[in-house]
Amino acid sequence: MSFAEERIFAVGEINTLVREMLEGEFPAVAIAGEVSNLRVPASGHIYFKLKDAAAQIAAVCFRSDARRLDFDLEDGAQVIARGTLTLYDAQGSYQLIARSLEPAGRGDLERALRLLIARLREEGLFDAARKRPLPRYPNRVAVVTSSSGAAVRDILSTIQRRFPCVEVLIAPVQVQGDAAPAQIIRALDMLSARGDVDVVILGRGGGSIEDLSAFNHEGVARAIHRCAVPVVSAVGHETDVTIADFVADVRAATPTMAAEIAVPARAEVLARIAALERTAGARLAGRVDSARRRTETLTKSYALGRVRGRIEHAMQRLDHAAHRCAGAGAAAVVRASAQTVAVSGRLASLNPRDVLRRGYAVVVDPARGVTLTRAVDAVRAGDVQLVFNDGAAHARVSGEVATEAAPVREVSK
């Protein structure tokens, strides 16, 4: 075609044709490269270049797509950009409109993660049957998270507001980085062995899949599975899901929600206590009223009347018997008193002192300390002691024993 026959294009016209050709030929491409010349103006769009050792291409990620990024884009980052090749008419430069961005290697990470999830699910770590219910009124709650993050502040403030009487233990750990999985595993094993923890909250704030990698770690998943204490997983924001969420007994969308799940609300507890008091009072009043009615019924019953009559008759017989016993006892006392007087009289008549007062004396052998009743014993003793009513005197016995005793005469006074 000669220049005389050639078609002359306007700049805008040729740029439009080239743009249509690019967009038609490359409607969806994925380009790997290093981010450079990153710029984010007030509009929220992200402008940058993708480069490798040999070339570079301009790229833009508009604000609506940039909002969905789950990692921090920065110069030097190796990324995979997916989108459409086009031409920017105003400058006549072609560029990539990036609809999505992800760190290079994330695809491999996601494939490995899917394989791990499938293996753990097959082993039964995600089974609903093994998940334990949370205690309704825990005494002690443990929190495994970073001591300086926003998650721990949200959890503590929520627990303090809802159920301030519960004790909270903080097990500080790193929640991202190479050291994070080992620290989380040690914390879970330690809390499991304590024996005085009722609930464990495992959590952190949101982040990219790389930031949350510790909670996708196989060792952490197995530590949650063997933990003797129910575990509430609160990793990231509502859209973030990790292996820890699948294994935990309860999954919370956020750390704040985890605290709300782990402890009851104080107002609810007080309302339940009041309801129980009302129920118990009503039941007790009903039982008392029922017992009163039964008592009244029994009191008026014919059978109880007969029993009461028999009891009353028995009480009368008991009174009569007691009266007779009292009379018989008094008579027995009188008879016993008379017998006592008679015996006392007889005893008094036998009292040696009374005999001595009538003028008699007792002869005692002082050597042997015995009373002598025969004259021959007095002669043999020689020296004797005469015991009178008012005293004793010594005497010597001589002579022979008389065959008959001299008559005794009373001496007149």
Side-chain angles (χ1 to χ4, degrees):
M1 181 174 61
S2 64
F3 286 107
E5 298 173 351
E6 70 180 349
R7 178 180 174 183
I8 300 174
F9 295 93
V11 174
E13 185 181 7
I14 195 64
N15 282 352
T16 298
L17 290 173
V18 172
R19 175 169 55 79
E20 291 175 350
M21 290 175 59
L22 282 173
E23 293 176 353
E25 189 69 22
F26 301 99
V29 294
I31 303 175
E34 178 185 333
V35 175
S36 67
N37 300 108
L38 182 69
R39 181 169 59 88
V40 184
S43 63
H45 308 316
I46 301 175
Y47 298 94
F48 59 98
K49 293 185 182 299
L50 281 178
K51 67 177 184 177
D52 58 19
Q56 66 179 17
I57 182 176
V60 58
C61 182
F62 293 114
R63 181 174 61 184
S64 58
D65 297 317
R67 288 174 177 172
R68 294 195 296 269
L69 294 182
D70 58 0
F71 69 102
D72 294 330
L73 189 64
E74 57 186 13
D75 284 335
Q78 296 290 332
V79 300
I80 297 175
R82 293 182 172 84
T84 302
L85 284 181
T86 187
L87 185 111
Y88 181 40
D89 294 1
Q91 295 184 359
S93 60
Y94 93 103
Q95 62 182 0
L96 170 70
I97 298 178
R99 300 301 182 188
S100 67
L101 291 164
E102 68 177 48
R106 174 175 287 186
D108 296 336
L109 178 62
E110 290 179 344
R111 282 191 294 274
L113 187 59
R114 286 194 296 271
L115 291 174
L116 177 59
I117 289 174
R119 180 157 54 85
L120 296 179
R121 178 178 286 110
E122 186 176 354
E123 291 184 28
L125 269 68
F126 305 160
D127 289 352
R130 59 154 294 276
K131 296 184 183 296
R132 296 157 295 186
L134 302 183
R136 191 166 190 173
Y137 303 109
N139 293 316
R140 186 173 288 107
V141 176
V143 181
V144 179
T145 189
S146 170
S147 59
S148 59
V152 70
R153 294 193 297 271
D154 293 343
I155 292 171
L156 290 177
S157 62
T158 302
I159 291 178
Q160 178 63 30
R161 170 176 52 83
R162 286 176 62 84
F163 202 56
C165 60
V166 73
E167 181 181 353
V168 181
L169 301 179
I170 304 297
V173 296
Q174 292 185 27
V175 293
Q176 68 183 66
D178 295 338
Q183 292 187 15
I184 294 173
I185 292 169
R186 283 196 300 270
L188 289 172
D189 288 342
M190 178 270 293
L191 293 171
S192 177
R194 281 180 62 108
D196 60 351
V197 175
D198 300 310
V199 182
V200 173
I201 297 176
L202 173 63
R204 61 151 290 161
S208 66
I209 188 172
E210 292 80 15
D211 294 337
L212 304 180
S213 62
F215 300 90
N216 288 316
H217 192 278
E218 182 177 357
V220 172
R222 296 192 182 279
I224 296 172
H225 181 261
R226 66 173 173 265
C227 186
V229 182
V231 177
V232 179
S233 176
V235 180
H237 301 303
E238 189 167 355
T239 57
D240 297 321
V241 180
T242 64
I243 291 178
D245 297 323
F246 297 142
V247 184
D249 297 281
V250 177
R251 189 246 173 179
T254 63
T256 298
M257 185 175 294
E260 293 177 350
I261 293 172
V263 300
R266 177 172 51 185
E268 295 175 1
V269 174
L270 294 176
R272 178 169 176 76
I273 292 173
L276 290 174
E277 288 179 346
R278 289 192 297 270
T279 301
R283 288 180 178 177
L284 180 59
R287 294 182 66 179
V288 170
D289 186 61
S290 177
R292 180 182 56 78
R293 288 196 300 270
R294 287 198 301 272
T295 302
E296 291 176 351
T297 302
L298 290 173
T299 302
K300 297 175 182 178
S301 67
Y302 173 74
L304 185 60
R306 292 190 60 187
V307 171
R308 181 164 51 189
R310 295 178 64 180
I311 292 173
E312 290 172 348
H313 293 160
M315 291 174 64
Q316 284 184 325
R317 289 196 297 271
L318 181 60
D319 287 342
H320 294 160
H323 179 73
R324 290 195 299 272
C325 287
V333 169
V334 171
R335 288 194 299 271
S337 298
Q339 291 173 359
T340 300
V341 171
V343 171
S344 298
R346 288 197 296 272
L347 289 176
S349 66
L350 297 175
N351 189 345
R353 292 288 182 183
D354 290 341
V355 176
L356 294 179
R357 279 195 291 270
R358 293 201 300 271
Y360 294 95
V362 177
V363 181
V364 178
D365 183 352
R368 293 183 300 161
V370 297
T371 301
L372 302 177
T373 60
R374 298 188 307 168
V376 64
D377 293 332
V379 171
R380 290 174 182 172
D383 293 331
V384 298
Q385 186 180 36
L386 303 177
V387 179
F388 299 94
N389 178 49
D390 59 350
H394 292 280
R396 177 173 291 278
V397 180
S398 62
E400 296 180 355
V401 177
T403 57
E404 291 185 1
V408 178
R409 295 182 303 169
E410 290 189 8
V411 180
S412 61
K413 296 182 180 179

